[in-house]
Amino acid sequence: MPDIQALVSDLASKLRKRRVQGSYETARLTAELLCAVILQHKEPTTNGAASLIEAVRRVGEQLIAANPVELAVGNIVRHVLHIIREEDLSPLTDIVGELKLSAEDDVEDIAEDENSQKSSATTDGCLLKPPLLLAVFEHLPDSATACQTFSSENIFAGKGKKLKSELIKAVNELIEDINTCREGIAEQAMELIHQNEVILTLGHSKFVKEFLCAAKEKKRSFEVFIADGAPKFEGHILAKELDKKGLKAIVITDSAVFAMISRVNMVIVGVHAVMANGGVIAPAGLHVLALAAKKHDVPFVVVASTHELCSLYPHNLEVLLNEMRCPSELLNFEEFSDCIDYGIASSSSLLHVVNPAFDYVPPELISLFVTDIGGYSPSYIYRLIADYYSSEDLPPQQKPAS
Amino acid sequence: MGAQKKRAAAAAAAARVSEDPDDLARQPLQAILLADSFTTKFRPITLERPKVLLPLVNVPMINYTLAWLEAAGVAEVFVFCCAHSKQVIDYLENSEWFSQPNFTVKTIESHNIISAGDALRLIYEQNVIHGDFVLISGDTVSNMSLTQALQEHKERKKKDNNAVMTMIIKKSKPSPITRQSRLGTDELFMAIDPNTKQLLYYEDKADHSKGTICLDKMLLAENPSISLHNDKQDCYIDICSPEVLSLFTDNFDYQHLRRHFVKGLLLDDIMGYKIFTHEIHSSYAARIDNYRSYDIVSKDIIQRWTYPYVPDVKFCGNRATKLERRGMYRALEIEQSRSAQVGSFTVIGYGTKIGSNSKISDSVIGEGCTIGSNVLIEGSYIWDNVIIEDGCELRHVIVCDGVIMKAGAVLKPGVVLSFKVVIGERFVVPAYSKVSLLQQPTVHDSDEELEYADNSSGTVEFSCTADQSNGEMTSESSEAHKPKLGTGGVGYIWSICEGGQEEEWRHSVAPIPEDKLTELSEAMDDDQELVTQDRTALSTSGELISDSNASEGDDNEDSKDDSVYFEKEVEATFLRAVEENVKVDHVILEVNSLRLSYNMTSADCAGAVFYSMMKLAIKTPHSSAIGLLTLYPSPFSMVASNAYPIYLSGELQQNTANIITTWQKLLKSYLLEIDEEIEIILKFEEMCLESAKEFSPLFARILHILYDKDILQEDAILRWADEKEGADESDKVFVRQSEKFIQWLREASEEED
């Protein structure tokens, strides 16, 4: 068994050095790491859940500090914390429900029953059950805290072990979810893309690609405009991939979106993160596209998975959550080295290059979110977030980012 | 027996081949990091702390190199420490580099190594390098990806066992101004085969003023195509095969990586080793070689060209720093007064306090500094725990750890304050000065970090300027004992030695002043037409033709050039001897060595020595002590001697007599035969006609003096007279002048008979 701390610092250093990028990848790695943390966590005899929460939070803080821009890390950490709280409460509620009538053995039986129940529920591919439970408690904060104090004094010696196995199962489901979220999103393609439509997208998003391909596989025929922008020119990659799938694609520059938008039926884009107010953080250039779509009343659809749901609000966004990337993506250093010259007394270098990675698109410009658990409008995002994360986890997690 | 052996060898080869792909995959990439630059360019700072630990935007330099090596997929790094090895090792042990998974850092320590060549020889002896390795020095900042270069190197190596090294190069602007202002380096010429990317020629010491570079004819004959670049920059990152180490061991005189090793390999075609280049395009790579490149690379980092090695990314356990608008980086827990103005592209370290109305722009401030109010900091590098009191002004300076600047002190551009210096109240430190708590060591016993002797500096320069500055320096350091840094100041201002004052601007952190810039651009305009000549007469070394007066001397034949140079050298030697009262024996020795190196006869020596003596006689004003001398840089300026005050002939004669008396022993040592004596007379005659007309009325008298002093024998004078018998009238001027004397000699000899 590798040392947990080594694993944590390994992922943290990867995040720090920007060697792991993209919300999907970071989410998956974080979830796997947290799974290992839970697995190796040494259970104290009492108050297992609280110490586990503490351990996960500590790891989470390290990872978030490593690269605050990758919001998916925080999302997963908070989600796992939420799962722990849920799991901690759920056997208890059962017990409260049964009014402690049964002995220890019976409790185990009950828990096992519940396991089977749950696994059957999750095979249906939805995680809706725990959120619902939480919703119950959120309306009853007093009872929730009461339950917690009760749990801390709990007398079930076997509970810790069971809690852990429950948790492992739940986190594994989460990992499974992350791995399959693309299919979940792609399933809804048929409902949104219609025959002979013209779709516009920007850059390269794996979700969008899967989404389009899913529609194509179901024999829908449509056309895709790919707005391709400097500095990354990721649209080239998408164009190639769509060509392989036999989809008709037209590449335009991202500065030409206003010219082309009148011919477009729908805009579909992928994003970096979905904020709590329903706005999104997305690759630079998306705001222009969103404005163009708004101007011409073209539906602006964002495909996002649940791990991109972020419980933060975009306050002072430009400074806090943007990543300034390398200027050499924009300018060839060699060509401009005489302009970027600090060694000459008369002119302190006048030429500077700023290369922000992200844009913020406000919720007013977004028509629909397509997630792996269904379609939502921007105004509903805060509800999803309440379902996915516990309110207790929000303040301490927000601290490193503010 | 033979067959058996062959079979065994074949089997072994087969085994190796079968292992090979496996090996390639398994063999972890190694790197040698030289944590010592073997130069003295960062003195006085490097007397107290090794260069690799100097903070570059608040992170010790070596971290940039190590972080890059780790990212580039290197598995094992050998850090070679020499100067201050203890500090380097202590630092690495306490850093996170020793505890990385999949990345091991090992240190190799040695104290008596004076060059990169020695270091590599030592590493070879330790037998730790097993495969290809990256050779880099600990002051290199890069974010390039090694994958492609490494793959190219391996493929080449497989095809051609002699491809031992791949050098990483980068395009840069060909203009020498940009090169100077960006990295403070000289122009670099490279000849590269455009198809194979093989490096054929490398010259980094090219002096632009000379305007020519010289390629070996064979280079053009052997290669179907060749492209000559002056727009490439050497990144000082090399991918080497293990053979490189053994090459260093075989050639124990290789010291410098470029000057000896690369040039040596390029010239030596016996072994046929080849060096290839790999050009990088959008990635960044630069080496910090001097204060100017320190400044430039720092600014590139702040401008994020080195992404992801930028202050707000914690790539090596540096403190959390946040990037704010307009390129401002701020660490946590900074106390800043409301009225303080912190401008753009500034980095402020953890726990620094900034007082009211202070202005800071384009600067890097370290951790835990205290900056008073009304302080002006512009384009400067302030390291950790510096205290700057109210009203100080700092422009384009480097201030090391623990410095205290009392109120109102001013640092002019280019100043470097080493560790813990205290600058007194209202003291103004002059531009380009270096201040340290340690005294400046004398030039010859630099023990910590040796700059390998630079061969290109000529003897002339050595003999005149170096010694003059030596004299100055001893006086400086004796004065330095009293505090010169204002009231309460602690430290010594170092006198500027290497290169002299006028070279300081090249390598300092201060921007290049306007006038130097125009000078540079004029120099560039002058030799716009850069002639690449193919001179067969010269050696194959491919070195520059060393004639400083290319315009005039171009069509002269080489031997003529040589004798002119020889004469100049002898004159310089002689003048120095006079000035410093060197013993005659020593002068003889020096002149002899010059004679050997220029392949001259002793007649030439005699002529040259006599010439210098006569010159001295002209230049010595009156009969006063010898000492106030002006040195002519070239014989051409002798034309100006017409403008000299006309000496009273008696005085000149007296001078000449004095000098001849003093130095007759020197002259005599070259007068082995009568031919040399005649040579002297001829030389004198020539001088009287051309360069020193003052002597012409005195010809006969001086001839007499020479005869009196036993320098010239009567035979010589008579033979000279005989030889001149048949010459033109114009040639006979001096014979006629000394007719009486000759007559007298003839009679005397007849009497003897």
Side-chain angles (χ1 to χ4, degrees), chain A residues 28 36 68 92 104 117 151 190 192 209 239 246 278 297 335-336 377:
Chain A
R28 197 173 53 82
L92 210 68
E104 254 179 55
Q117 249 180 10
S151 78
M190 290 298 285
L192 285 159
K209 193 201 96 187
D297 284 332
E335 282 303 307
F336 286 84
S377 85

Side-chain angles (χ1 to χ4, degrees), chain B residues 212-262:
Chain B
T212 56
I213 64 166
C214 183
L215 293 177
D216 186 5
K217 191 170 77 172
M218 295 304 284
L219 211 61
L220 299 176
E222 283 171 0
N223 297 287
S225 57
I226 183 169
S227 55
L228 192 64
H229 297 277
N230 69 340
D231 61 344
K232 298 281 185 259
Q233 176 191 326
D234 190 346
C235 301
Y236 298 98
I237 299 170
D238 303 318
I239 302 169
C240 306
S241 301
E243 284 89 340
V244 169
L245 290 181
S246 54
L247 270 172
F248 266 99
T249 312
D250 295 345
N251 298 282
F252 53 85
D253 56 332
Y254 284 174
Q255 304 288 347
H256 191 274
L257 285 179
R258 294 287 184 259
R259 228 171 285 155
H260 301 118
F261 176 68
V262 169

Side-chain angles (χ1 to χ4, degrees), chain B residues 510-668:
Chain B
I512 301 175
E514 199 75 39
D515 51 329
K516 299 288 178 197
L517 211 63
T518 42
E519 250 172 60
L520 262 180
S521 54
E522 273 164 16
M524 191 178 58
D525 291 340
D526 281 348
D527 37 37
Q528 274 294 333
E529 55 324 324
L530 192 72
V531 203
T532 311
Q533 278 170 331
D534 174 25
R535 290 212 174 182
T536 47
L538 278 181
S539 66
T540 56
S541 66
E543 273 173 18
L544 276 164
I545 321 154
S546 53
D547 47 353
S548 57
N549 38 23
S551 46
E552 293 102 324
D554 245 343
D555 39 22
N556 285 2
E557 55 221 296
D558 285 346
S559 60
K560 174 86 178 179
D561 273 0
D562 271 3
S563 66
V564 168
Y565 276 116
F566 174 67
E567 225 159 65
K568 267 168 68 183
E569 302 251 307
V570 170
E571 191 184 347
T573 313
F574 179 71
L575 286 178
R576 189 163 50 82
V578 172
E579 197 183 342
E580 291 173 12
N581 289 323
V582 178
K583 278 192 190 144
V584 175
D585 294 344
H586 294 181
V587 183
I588 293 173
L589 209 65
E590 282 191 36
V591 174
N592 275 342
S593 68
L594 282 173
R595 179 172 74 100
L596 292 175
S597 64
Y598 280 88
N599 198 16
M600 291 292 169
T601 61
S602 56
D604 291 320
C605 288
V609 169
F610 181 73
Y611 175 81
S612 345
M613 284 164 70
M614 289 295 128
K615 271 303 200 19
L616 182 63
I618 296 177
K619 273 183 267 164
T620 313
H622 309 293
S623 49
S624 65
I626 322 149
L628 287 164
L629 296 178
T630 35
L631 185 68
Y632 289 101
S634 83
F636 298 100
S637 59
M638 283 302 134
V639 182
S641 62
N642 284 339
Y644 264 59
I646 309 296
Y647 292 97
L648 294 171
S649 54
E651 220 168 332
L652 184 59
Q653 191 187 344
Q654 190 56 42
N655 276 344
T656 319
N658 283 344
I659 289 170
I660 291 174
T661 323
T662 326
W663 297 98
Q664 55 180 322
K665 197 182 163 202
L666 172 66
L667 199 52
K668 269 184 197 160

Side-chain angles (χ1 to χ4, degrees), chain B residues 142-194:
Chain B
S142 175
N143 63 357
M144 67 171 282
S145 151
L146 263 186
T147 331
Q148 205 198 340
L150 199 65
Q151 200 178 346
E152 277 176 18
H153 176 80
K154 283 195 167 139
E155 272 165 19
R156 262 199 299 267
K157 189 79 210 297
K158 233 185 254 171
K159 275 186 233 146
D160 181 355
N161 218 28
N162 282 335
V164 288
M165 185 162 127
T166 302
M167 192 193 268
I168 310 292
I169 55 170
K170 183 170 165 43
K171 205 173 164 218
S172 74
K173 285 273 165 182
S175 129
I177 297 184
T178 311
R179 187 174 284 275
Q180 182 57 251
S181 59
R182 277 208 53 86
L183 293 168
T185 52
D186 294 322
E187 204 156 22
L188 171 68
F189 292 97
M190 281 181 172
I192 297 168
D193 186 323

Side-chain angles (χ1 to χ4, degrees), chain A residues 6 9-10 13 15-19 21 65-66 316 318-320 322-329 331-349 351-354 400-402, chain B residues 67 70-71 96-97 100-101 143 170-173 177-178 181-182 280-284 292 295-296 299-300 303-309 312-315 317 322-325 345 362 510-514 517:
Chain A
S9 53
D10 184 45
S13 85
L15 284 169
R16 225 182 283 134
K17 289 162 190 161
R18 312 299 198 247
R19 237 168 277 166
Q21 285 187 323
N316 195 6
E318 193 191 351
V319 171
L320 289 182
N322 216 335
E323 169 94 335
M324 293 295 168
R325 295 185 58 84
C326 186
S328 63
E329 288 174 352
L331 282 191
N332 192 336
F333 185 70
E334 294 85 40
E335 282 303 307
F336 286 84
S337 56
D338 49 344
C339 308
I340 313 165
D341 201 335
Y342 326 101
I344 296 171
S346 54
S347 63
S348 63
S349 173
L351 179 69
H352 300 297
V353 186
V354 176
S402 63
Chain B
E70 195 213 348
E96 58 178 34
W97 294 114
Q100 295 279 321
N143 63 357
K170 183 170 165 43
K171 205 173 164 218
S172 74
K173 285 273 165 182
I177 297 184
T178 311
S181 59
R182 277 208 53 86
I280 52 171
H281 292 284
S282 58
S283 2
Y284 187 86
R292 168 140 346 264
D295 174 47
I296 296 298
K299 285 186 169 142
D300 286 340
Q303 302 270 358
R304 306 180 78 77
W305 290 99
T306 58
Y307 184 92
Y309 310 113
D312 61 327
V313 174
K314 289 195 273 177
F315 57 91
K322 226 177 257 169
L323 173 60
E324 296 176 12
R325 274 168 213 258
F345 304 107
D362 295 306
I512 301 175
E514 199 75 39
L517 211 63

